[in-house]
Amino acid sequence: MALAMESSLPGVNSSDKGRVVTVFDRRLEQTECGEKIVSVGSGDGYAEFRADICQACGISPDEQFVITTTNRKPITHTNFDLIVQDGITLYLLKSPDQLLFSPTKEKIDFLPHYDTLVKSGMYEYYASEGQNPLPFALAELIDNSLSATAQNAGIRNIQIRLLFDETQGKPAVVVIDNGKGMNSTQLKNWAIYRLSKFTRGAAALSEDGIYVRPPHVPRSLNSDISYFGVGGKQAVFFVGQSARIITKNADSQDVHEFVLSKEDFEKKEINKEDIYSGFIRNRKPADSTHVTEDERFLHNLIMEEHEKKNFTAVVITGVQSVHVQFLKNYYHLWSRQLAHIYHYYIHGPRGNVLNKSKISAQALTNLDIEISMFERGKSPKIVSLRELRDDMQTLYINTTADTFEFKALVEGEGVVEGVIRYHPFLYDQETYPEDPYASSRNNDADDDDCFIIEKEARGKRPIFECFWNGRLIPYTTVEDFDWCAPPKKRGLCPPECYNRISGVLFTNDRFEVSTNKLTFLDLGLKLQDKNTLFTRIINGQEQRMKIDREFALWVKDCHEKYDKQIKYIGFKGTISRTDV
Amino acid sequence: MALAMESSLPGVNSSDKGRVVTVFDRRLEQTECGEKIVSVGSGDGYAEFRADICQACGISPDEQFVITTTNRKPITHTNFDLIVQDGITLYLLKSPDQLLFSPTKEKIDFLPHYDTLVKSGMYEYYASEGQNPLPFALAELIDNSLSATAQNAGIRNIQIRLLFDETQGKPAVVVIDNGKGMNSTQLKNWAIYRLSKFTRGAAALSEDGIYVRPPHVPRSLNSDISYFGVGGKQAVFFVGQSARIITKNADSQDVHEFVLSKEDFEKKEINKEDIYSGFIRNRKPADSTHVTEDERFLHNLIMEEHEKKNFTAVVITGVQSVHVQFLKNYYHLWSRQLAHIYHYYIHGPRGNVLNKSKISAQALTNLDIEISMFERGKSPKIVSLRELRDDMQTLYINTTADTFEFKALVEGEGVVEGVIRYHPFLYDQETYPEDPYASSRNNDADDDDCFIIEKEARGKRPIFECFWNGRLIPYTTVEDFDWCAPPKKRGLCPPECYNRISGVLFTNDRFEVSTNKLTFLDLGLKLQDKNTLFTRIINGQEQRMKIDREFALWVKDCHEKYDKQIKYIGFKGTISRTDV
Ligand SMILES: Nc1ncnc2c1ncn2[C@@H]1O[C@H](COP(=O)(O)OP(=O)(O)OP(=O)(O)O)[C@@H](O)[C@H]1O
Ligand SMILES: Nc1ncnc2c1ncn2[C@@H]1O[C@H](COP(=O)(O)OP(=O)(O)OP(=O)(O)O)[C@@H](O)[C@H]1O
Ligand SMILES: [Mg+2]
Ligand SMILES: [Mg+2]
C-alpha cells in the first residue's frame, strides 16, 4: 500500500529545466547598462553559448572579450557546464581584471541552511550550576502540550513516555497529549521555523486567526507558553535526530503524520531537492501499515488512536545515547525538576500544600503530567508529577510558617506577583529546605573548633525563583530587593532571620525570555529600576504602607512567633549521669 | 543608472503560472490508491475544474461526490480561486466527513519564516547581573573581523564607528575591518543562516574548501571565532533593522554590496516574492551613486575605498533608540567591556602589563580595535581599546604579585590552560581590584560597631573568568576547583589568603559555547568530572607533584612574601599628642 509518487509531483526537482543566465556587458565605459537574459539550450556547449551571447549583445564573433563569473573567473570550454548553472549572473569584459565601469546586480538565493532546524537545539540548552539541561528541552514539549490542552473540558493529560525496550525498536522519547491537535495546515506550521502565533495570523490562508493575549489569571497560569515558533524543533533536535509528529483534531476523522529528520535533510541536499519540502501522511485512525521494524513500538501507540478524538504525539528517535543514559540513571532527579518547573500548573496557584486541611477550598487542577519509562525485562516506572513531594517548591511551601505577598509595578505594563515565605528555626535546626541534589561541598565540613547551632539556611542563594506565564525559567534568579535585603544597620530582629526567607516571582509575557526559555532577558534590570513600585498585598488588597517597613515588621513578627530557638549558651562540659 | 530588471528575471513571481493540483480519489474503499495530477487552466472556474477531475478519474458527471481540501473543507464556486492554489492536495470523497480508507500524501513547504533572520538576535542576548548585553552583540561583529584579519601581514585594523550625527543621515553603527573581504559568493554565504564554515566546504561550488582547525597557539588566540553561521545576523538584527555589507577582496577590483533588511522581507512577503532571494550590487570602488539621502554618511565611507585593497564594512541602520542612548551615555563602560572581552587579542598572551620593564620581550600584537563616536556639533570621541587601562583584566594583571599556571586535561581531547593570580594585602588594604561599575550595595555599609582592617577581597565572586578561542565568554564563570578552594581544615596560611586570588581559564573550541557566545555549554560540568587531570605548569613545564599541595604551598609562599599586613591589635583609645 506504499505510495510512490514523488517523481510525478511538480517542483521537486528542477535540475533538468533549461538554464537561463543574466549577462552584463561591461566591456566599454559607454556600454549600455542593462542586462541581457540568455537561455542556454539543454545540449549547448560553450561555443554555442558564446555565439548566442555575441548575437544577443551585437558583438562581432572575432572581437576580443571574455565571459566571466561575477568573481571574475573566465568561462571556458572545460568549466562551462559546471559553472553556468540556471540563474547565474555573468560578465562580458575586455579582460578578467578590468574595472566595472558601471554597477551590476546579481541575483542570489540565501535560503537558511537546514541546520537551522537540525542544529537549532544543539547549542541552545546549556548547563548551569551542574544541571543537565535535558529536562529543559523536554519542558518545551510539555509547554506545547500545555497550550494544546488549555481548552480541554475534562482532564488535561500529558505523558512523557521513554521507550527504552530494545525489543520494541530503537530508543524513543514520546510526548503525548490529549489536547486539541492539529489539522494538516497547522501541522505544516509546526515545522516552519520561527512561525509564531504572532506572525501566523498575518499569513494568508491561515486558519488560526489573529492571536489574542489571554486575560490575566493568578500567577499568570494562562497555559499560553508558545512564543517564538522554535521551541518544539529545538527540543526534538536537542534530544535526537528525528521527530515524527502524529496528530488529530476533533473536527476531522484524519490522523496527520509528519517526519522531520536530519537524514531526510541530508538526502534532499544530495539529491538537490527542495530542502524545505516534505510530505504529510494523512490516514485513518489506528492505521499503522507504514510502520517500519525500527519503530515497531509505534504499532501500539497508533492502536491507541481508537479511543481518542484528538491528540498530539511527538515521537523522537535517534535519541543521543548520553541522553538515554541520563534519563535512565537520573529518573527521579529530572522528574522532580519537571515537577518544580510546572509546580503551579500541577498544583494550582497556591502550590502543593501537603496538609490539605490547611486550605479550605483549593481548586484542584485538571492537569496530569505523567512520566513513564519502559525498559526491557523491567516493570515500567510510572509517576505522575502531582505525586512528587520533594520538588523544591513543595519543600518550600511545606516548611513555610508565614507568607508575605506583594506586587511589583514596572514601567510600561509589567506586573509581577511575588511571594516571600518564612522558614523558621525550629528547636535545633533551620527549616529552610535543603536541595537534596545540590552540589554541597560546604556541608561536609566538620567544624571541630566551634559548636554550631545554626546552619546558614538560604546561605548565598538568591531569594527568588522566577516563573513566566506560570512555568519556571530555570536560570534566572533574583537575589533580593532593597526592601527585603538584610538591613545594613541593626534591624528589628537578628540578621539570620533574613536568611530564613525564600521567594517566588510570577510574571506574564510582558517580560521577555530568551528563545531557549532558560533566562529572562531583563527582568532583573527592570525590577531594579528606581521607578518600579512595590506594594504589599494582604488578602488580595493592596496596602498603602511603605513596603520596607511592612516587610521589616513581618520578619520581626515571624521571628517572634515562629522561631523556636534553643541555644545552649555557656557549654559546661559533659556530665555523665550516674543516677539513671 | 538605476537598474530595473526584477520582473524580467525568472522565478521571482510564480503566481501567474498555471496551477497544478494533486487529487486523491478516496470515495470508495476499493478506490485505486494512486493520485492524479490535474492542471488548472488559468481562466478555469470551479465548473471546468470539476469536469476535468471527472474526466481524469473516470467519474460520471452526475455522480454524487465532493472535492475537499485535506482539512475536509469542500471546494465550491465561491472559494475555488482562493483555495485551489498551485501545489495543493485535494480529496474526492463521498462526504466531507468520511473516513480515509487508505492513506494520502500531502506535499507541504515549510520554509523558515524570515523572522529566522530578523528576530534571530532579539531574544538571544540577555542581561545578567545588570549588564546590558549590547556589547556582546557588537562582539559578534568584532569576532568576524578577527577571523577576517587573521592572515593580515601588517596591522589588523577593526573599527567600530558610531555615526550619530543627524546631519549625516539616520543613526548607524558601522564595523569596518581591513581583513580579507568577501567575493560575491562569500557575501551570499554571509546571508545564509546557519551556513557555517563546517558545512560550507561540503556545499557544491563552494570556494572556501574544507575547514581545517587551526593549530594550538598559547591561550588559544587563534582568531577562529566563527562557528555557527548565525553571529553576524543575530548581532545586526539585535542592534537594528537593516544591515548593509560592503566588501572587497584583494583578488578583484569589484566592491560587493548586499542589504538585508526587515522592511525588504516584509515587502517580499506581501508581494509573494521569494523570501530568500535578493540582489548583490557589484560596482567599482568609491562609486556611491546609489546612496540615498537617509544614508548620506555612506558617501564618505565609500570614498575611503580608494585606499583599500580589501575590507569589509557592516553598516547597521534602523538602530533601536535605546541602543543609541546606551552607546552614547555609557561610552566608557562598554568600550571597557570590549577591552576586557578581547584583552588577550589586543595585548597578547601575557595581557596588558603596564610596567613594561617587567617583561623583557613581550610580543606586541598587530591588532588595533578602535572605537569612535560622531555626534552633531561635538568633536568625535575616539579610543583604541589598547589604550584602556581599567578593564578588569588589566586591573587583575597589574595587581598581581605572583601567578600559578596550570593545565586541565579533560576526557576526550579538551585542554584548558589556567592562570591563578595572587593579589596581596598591602599595608592597609586588599589589592584585589574592585570593578568600578559593579553594583556594590555592600560597599556603602558603614560598620560603626567594629574596626575593619580587611575587606573581603574577591568576596563571593567566582575565581575564574573563561575565554574561548581567546575571547571572553562573559556569562560563564567557574567558582573554583577542589584544589584551590579554601581548605576545610586549618590550612598553611590564613583563610583570607584564598580570597586574594583571581583566575582565568583559556579553552579552544573543543569546549562548546551557546550560539550567542554568552555561555559555555558544559565547561563547568567537564572540569568537575573526577577524571579531569590538573597539572601545574612552571615555565612551560608540567610538574609532577600533586597540584593540591603545590597550590597550598604557593598560596602560603605568596602570603609570606607579599602580604604586608599591619594589624592594629588592641586599640587603646586616641592619644592627643601635645608634644608637636
Ligand atoms: N502538542 C501540540 N498540540 C497542538 N499543537 C502543537 C503542539 N505542539 C506544537 N504545536 C503547534 O506547533 C507550533 C510550533 O511549536 P513550537 O514549540 O515549535 O513553537 P511555539 O510553541 O509556537 O513557540 P516556542 O518557540 O515558544 O515554543 C505551536 O505554536 C503550535 O501551534
Ligand atoms: N568582516 C568579515 N570579513 C570577511 N568575511 C566575513 C566577515 N563577517 C562575516 N564574514 C563571513 O560571513 C560568514 C557568516 O558570519 P556570521 O557571523 O553570521 O557567522 P559565523 O561567523 O560563520 O558563525 P558564528 O555564528 O559563530 O558567528 C562568516 O563565516 C564569514 O565567512
Ligand atoms: Mg513551543
Ligand atoms: Mg560570526
Side-chain angles (χ1 to χ4, degrees), chain A residues 404-460:
Chain A
F404 181 95
E405 303 206 16
F406 62 94
K407 206 167 90 173
L409 221 93
V410 179
E411 256 192 318
E413 293 184 289
V415 180
V416 180
E417 296 174 63
V419 180
I420 294 180
R421 312 189 185 94
Y422 195 81
H423 309 282
F425 187 95
L426 282 188
Y427 308 110
D428 57 352
Q429 59 185 342
E430 295 287 355
T431 59
Y432 184 99
E434 286 284 333
D435 183 344
Y437 287 96
S439 67
S440 52
R441 171 190 294 148
N442 298 318
N443 290 354
D444 57 335
D446 49 331
D447 295 76
D448 317 309
D449 299 337
C450 50
F451 189 82
I452 292 251
I453 305 177
E454 306 139 75
K455 283 185 301 156
E456 270 197 307
R458 194 181 68 253
K460 292 179 182 179

Side-chain angles (χ1 to χ4, degrees), chain B residues 96-137:
Chain B
D97 57 354
Q98 118 188 14
L99 207 62
L100 220 47
F101 296 120
S102 60
T104 65
K105 260 176 136 181
E106 176 178 3
K107 181 157 182 286
I108 59 163
D109 290 309
F110 52 99
L111 200 64
H113 191 272
Y114 59 81
D115 278 348
T116 300
L117 287 155
V118 168
K119 292 203 175 154
S120 59
M122 240 165 112
Y123 300 96
E124 286 304 318
Y125 300 101
Y126 57 93
S128 173
E129 289 163 34
Q131 298 188 67
N132 183 320
L134 178 57
F136 307 131

Side-chain angles (χ1 to χ4, degrees), chain B residues 140 143-144 225-227 230-232 517:
Chain B
E140 285 285 357
D143 286 348
N144 286 346
I225 318 187
S226 290
Y227 211 85
V230 307
K517 301 204 180 97

Side-chain angles (χ1 to χ4, degrees), chain B residues 279-298:
Chain B
F279 290 92
I280 288 180
R281 182 183 189 88
N282 301 310
R283 58 168 174 79
K284 65 187 174 210
D287 172 358
S288 67
T289 45
H290 59 300
V291 168
T292 62
E293 224 5 53
D294 257 4
E295 304 186 325
R296 53 194 175 281
F297 54 81
L298 284 176

Side-chain angles (χ1 to χ4, degrees), chain A residues 35 72 109 124 254 277, chain B residues 5 72 109 124 254 277 515:
Chain A
E35 79 284 2
R72 304 295 184 103
D109 290 309
E124 286 304 318
D254 305 343
S277 283
Chain B
M5 56 175 151
R72 303 296 186 101
D109 290 309
E124 286 304 318
D254 304 344
S277 283
T515 29

Side-chain angles (χ1 to χ4, degrees), chain B residues 225-244:
Chain B
I225 318 187
S226 290
Y227 211 85
F228 305 105
V230 307
K233 281 77 88 183
Q234 285 190 353
V236 298
F237 284 114
F238 178 77
V239 175
Q241 310 225 315
S242 172
R244 179 186 297 268

Side-chain angles (χ1 to χ4, degrees), chain A residues 115-357:
Chain A
D115 278 348
T116 300
L117 287 155
V118 168
K119 293 207 173 151
S120 60
M122 242 165 112
Y123 301 95
E124 286 304 318
Y125 300 101
Y126 57 93
S128 173
E129 288 164 34
Q131 297 187 64
N132 183 320
L134 179 58
F136 307 131
L138 295 180
E140 285 284 357
L141 299 173
I142 299 181
D143 286 348
N144 286 347
S145 293
L146 274 181
S147 303
T149 59
Q151 311 302 330
N152 278 23
I155 291 289
R156 304 164 68 180
N157 190 271
I158 302 174
Q159 297 183 14
I160 301 189
R161 299 189 198 168
L162 309 177
L163 308 182
F164 295 159
D165 177 349
E166 311 88 64
T167 64
Q168 298 304 305
K170 52 189 182 180
V173 173
V174 183
V175 180
I176 312 186
D177 64 63
N178 66 347
K180 61 175 187 259
M182 293 175 260
N183 63 24
S184 65
T185 311
Q186 290 160 335
L187 180 53
K188 178 194 77 180
N189 287 347
W190 183 94
I192 298 182
Y193 196 76
R194 280 278 176 186
L195 181 67
S196 72
K197 61 191 172 199
F198 306 106
T199 38
R200 204 173 300 157
L205 286 178
S206 161
E207 308 194 1
D208 295 311
I210 298 289
Y211 171 69
V212 180
R213 190 183 290 267
H216 176 76
V217 290
R219 307 316 187 209
S220 301
L221 291 164
N222 53 33
S223 296
D224 185 37
I225 319 187
S226 290
Y227 210 85
F228 305 105
V230 307
K233 282 78 88 182
Q234 285 189 353
V236 298
F237 285 113
F238 178 77
V239 176
Q241 308 226 315
S242 172
R244 178 186 297 270
I245 323 296
I246 312 177
T247 188
K248 174 181 183 309
N249 68 12
D251 293 344
S252 144
Q253 302 225 37
D254 305 343
V255 174
H256 311 285
E257 272 193 37
F258 185 62
V259 177
L260 208 56
S261 86
K262 189 179 163 189
E263 205 188 326
D264 249 29
F265 279 120
E266 287 168 349
K267 230 185 269 166
K268 287 186 271 189
E269 182 178 48
I270 291 170
N271 299 340
K272 295 194 192 303
E273 290 169 3
D274 288 347
I275 294 290
Y276 296 103
S277 283
F279 290 92
I280 288 180
R281 182 183 188 87
N282 302 310
R283 57 168 174 79
K284 65 186 175 214
D287 172 357
S288 67
T289 44
H290 58 302
V291 168
T292 61
E293 225 4 53
D294 256 5
E295 303 186 325
R296 52 194 176 282
F297 54 81
L298 283 177
H299 289 297
N300 286 333
L301 198 82
I302 290 174
M303 235 23 88
E304 294 173 21
E305 291 168 4
H306 273 310
E307 300 133 39
K308 298 177 182 176
K309 268 189 93 111
N310 44 271
F311 67 90
T312 300
V314 177
V315 181
I316 308 171
T317 49
V319 182
Q320 286 194 51
S321 64
V322 286
H323 293 328
V324 174
Q325 288 315 313
F326 176 80
L327 291 168
K328 281 184 184 172
N329 298 340
Y330 296 92
Y331 185 79
H332 184 68
L333 171 78
W334 62 263
S335 13
R336 194 174 154 271
Q337 222 160 356
L338 291 177
H340 185 168
I341 297 174
Y342 298 104
H343 187 95
Y344 296 94
Y345 276 109
I346 300 165
H347 300 288
R350 302 199 46 189
N352 188 17
V353 180
L354 293 175
N355 182 351
K356 300 281 181 204
S357 71

Side-chain angles (χ1 to χ4, degrees), chain B residues 7 54 100 129 148 178 193 196 202 213 236 249 265 277 413 429 433 452 458 467 503 526 549:
Chain B
S7 56
C54 284
L100 220 47
E129 289 163 34
N178 66 346
Y193 196 76
S196 72
R213 190 182 290 267
V236 298
N249 68 11
F265 279 120
S277 283
E413 293 183 288
Q429 59 185 341
I452 291 250
R458 196 182 68 253
F467 289 76
K526 279 187 177 163
R549 177 108 192 118

